[in-house]
Amino acid sequence: MHNKSRGELAGMITVFARTILIYLILIISMRLMGKRQVGELQLSELIVTIMLSDFAATPIYETDIPFAYAVIPILLLLSVEVILSFIILHVPKLKILLGGRPSLIIRKGTLDQKELKRQRMCLSELIGSLREQGIASIDDVEYAILEENGKLSVFEKASKKPPSAEDTNTAVKEKGIAHSLILDKVIVDRNLTAAGWTKEKLMKKLREIKKTKDDILLFSVDDSGNTTIIYKEEK
């Protein structure tokens, strides 16, 4: 009985160790593949992702399979993906062959019904995608492009857009991005540098509003100097 319990414990430890190791290997692999692969999968990248998940999962629950049987295919796929990405950069035709090319669904305000059918995209799906981007009517669209990764890029007709500051000859100062100087009571030093602030300047601002960093959920400042402050709710 003891031997059986010890065997079960050893098996659990093996599964735990394999899970952690494969997780770390996959994290490193995806990092090496680049950030773009995480958010925008091309066809070849989707296939690699599916294969990686299969290679990674099998040795976790089948402990009789040598651990190397998972690591070697993962490293091989990683190498192929990195090498292929490098080749595609220098051979554009290969990129079209593997990933396809963007498709114009709407051109100059006119829906290309043949292209819509060729992409096996129904009209209700197109309209739904437009609504997701805040466009109520297909008549408001000048161009709609189905990108290589399956996302729809939409450009509204100029007559449907609200006038910009440039159109009205109004001088507007760029706000840039908001830099979070304090996040949930923690001062973010790298954002202080990016915003051109110092810790002393931040502390002075906190004294002016009679608060400490422990009172702050979010303190951000944009490139034009506008601040946003959200206080932590009292328990």
Side-chain angles (χ1 to χ4, degrees), residues 16-112:
F16 178 80
R18 286 187 172 205
T19 302
I20 297 299
L21 287 172
I22 289 176
Y23 171 77
L24 293 174
I25 291 170
L26 287 175
I27 289 291
I28 294 170
S29 298
M30 295 304 291
R31 289 284 292 173
L32 290 174
M33 286 171 65
K35 291 183 180 180
R36 185 175 64 84
Q37 276 76 357
V38 177
E40 302 177 1
L41 292 178
Q42 304 291 340
L43 179 60
S44 62
E45 296 159 357
L46 177 61
I47 293 171
V48 168
T49 303
I50 294 172
M51 293 180 69
L52 281 176
S53 64
D54 186 54
F55 288 143
T58 303
I60 291 176
Y61 58 81
E62 294 187 15
T63 53
D64 293 335
I65 297 177
F67 186 69
Y69 281 25
V71 176
I72 292 173
I74 289 173
L75 295 179
L76 178 59
L77 278 177
L78 170 63
S79 301
V80 169
E81 178 61 26
V82 172
I83 292 171
L84 195 58
S85 298
F86 179 79
I87 294 174
I88 285 174
L89 285 175
H90 297 85
V91 186
K93 289 184 179 180
L94 185 60
K95 178 178 177 62
I96 295 172
L97 179 64
L98 295 177
R101 65 178 70 195
S103 300
L104 276 169
I105 304 299
I106 298 176
R107 182 199 298 266
K108 294 184 178 180
T110 302
L111 175 65
D112 189 334

Side-chain angles (χ1 to χ4, degrees), residues 145-156:
I145 305 169
L146 189 63
E147 304 291 357
E148 301 162 17
N149 57 13
K151 292 185 177 181
L152 189 70
S153 299
V154 181
F155 300 89
E156 287 185 272

Side-chain angles (χ1 to χ4, degrees), residues 133-174:
Q133 301 197 37
I135 298 174
S137 173
I138 196 171
D139 291 335
D140 298 344
V141 180
E142 181 72 5
Y143 280 95
I145 305 169
L146 189 63
E147 304 291 357
E148 301 162 17
N149 57 13
K151 292 185 177 181
L152 189 70
S153 299
V154 181
F155 300 89
E156 287 185 272
K157 293 178 179 177
S159 59
K160 302 297 181 179
K161 293 180 180 179
S164 65
E166 185 178 358
D167 295 331
T168 57
N169 293 321
T170 304
V172 177
K173 187 176 180 181
E174 295 290 347

Side-chain angles (χ1 to χ4, degrees), residues 177-181 191 195 197 219-228:
I177 63 171
H179 306 278
S180 301
L181 307 187
N191 289 348
W197 280 48
F219 185 114
S220 66
V221 57
D222 62 29
D223 293 341
S224 62
N226 298 317
T227 58
T228 299

